[in-house]
Amino acid sequence: MVNWVSKHKPITSETYPYSLQTGIDYTLYSNKISKTGTRFLLDTTSRIGIDCEFSYWGESLPSGPHDNSWAGDTNLLFRFAQTESFQMRPGIGYNWLSDDIRSDFGFNFTYKGDFFPLDPLIISTELDLGEIGSSNLSHFCLTTGIHYRHAEIFLGYDHFRLGETKFDGFISGLRIWF
């Protein structure tokens, strides 16, 4: 198992039987719509992992009130490829969306990759394809971060589409690697 700390020294299965990433991010899609999210990724020496994401979406309405919803996904991952320069994880799970009116669920396929081209740079990408209720969902995120010890500060691009509704914006956040 590869997990990264200062100077990109991998933590091997002889050292730790698992690794954990946790983080918080903020995405501004427009001057009215934003998303605040948190995510967790637990990985094991058996290469099986669990990925969970929870996001709060907020929208400022012209009439003054604020509309909001919660969304996220949970996936079972398999880390099938890894070197000291990258690690790749496909997985399957479910998506969910909840607001004041109703809650919907659906299938999710995810593909994640972390690339370590040079110290202290980390490039991470994520692709989600699935559905929520009767609507198709696609999500793509690409970030570039700088790490120091166990912390990574990142910036990037986030694309989210649910049915015919599409959001594109800049994402920033902090990830902790254990």
Side-chain angles (χ1 to χ4, degrees), residues 33-157:
I33 299 174
S34 64
K35 176 184 76 159
T36 303
T38 186
R39 63 186 67 230
F40 306 92
L41 170 61
L42 177 65
D43 204 356
T44 66
T45 55
S46 67
R47 297 180 178 245
I48 303 294
I50 296 175
D51 166 52
C52 298
E53 178 181 343
F54 306 94
S55 299
Y56 170 81
W57 291 72
E59 177 181 14
S60 298
L61 300 174
S63 59
H66 196 77
D67 191 18
N68 60 56
S69 61
W70 289 88
D73 60 40
T74 300
N75 301 290
L76 184 64
L77 303 175
F78 178 67
R79 183 174 24 87
F80 77 97
Q82 71 179 31
T83 69
E84 290 199 9
S85 299
F86 70 90
Q87 50 193 8
M88 308 298 287
R89 298 176 178 91
I92 58 170
Y94 69 93
N95 295 306
W96 58 272
L97 173 70
S98 180
D99 60 18
D100 293 337
I101 300 170
R102 68 173 192 253
S103 295
D104 281 318
F105 299 88
F107 173 78
N108 189 52
F109 168 78
T110 192
Y111 196 90
K112 297 177 179 293
D114 295 309
F115 303 90
F116 312 98
L118 56 103
D119 191 24
L121 192 64
I122 299 174
I123 299 170
S124 298
T125 185
E126 175 181 1
L127 173 66
D128 291 301
L129 300 171
E131 60 183 25
I132 295 180
S134 60
S135 298
N136 289 332
L137 175 138
S138 63
H139 173 236
F140 174 75
C141 185
L142 176 66
T143 63
T144 300
I146 302 292
H147 83 91
Y148 177 72
R149 297 190 186 257
H150 294 282
E152 174 196 359
I153 297 173
F154 63 87
L155 296 171
Y157 168 77

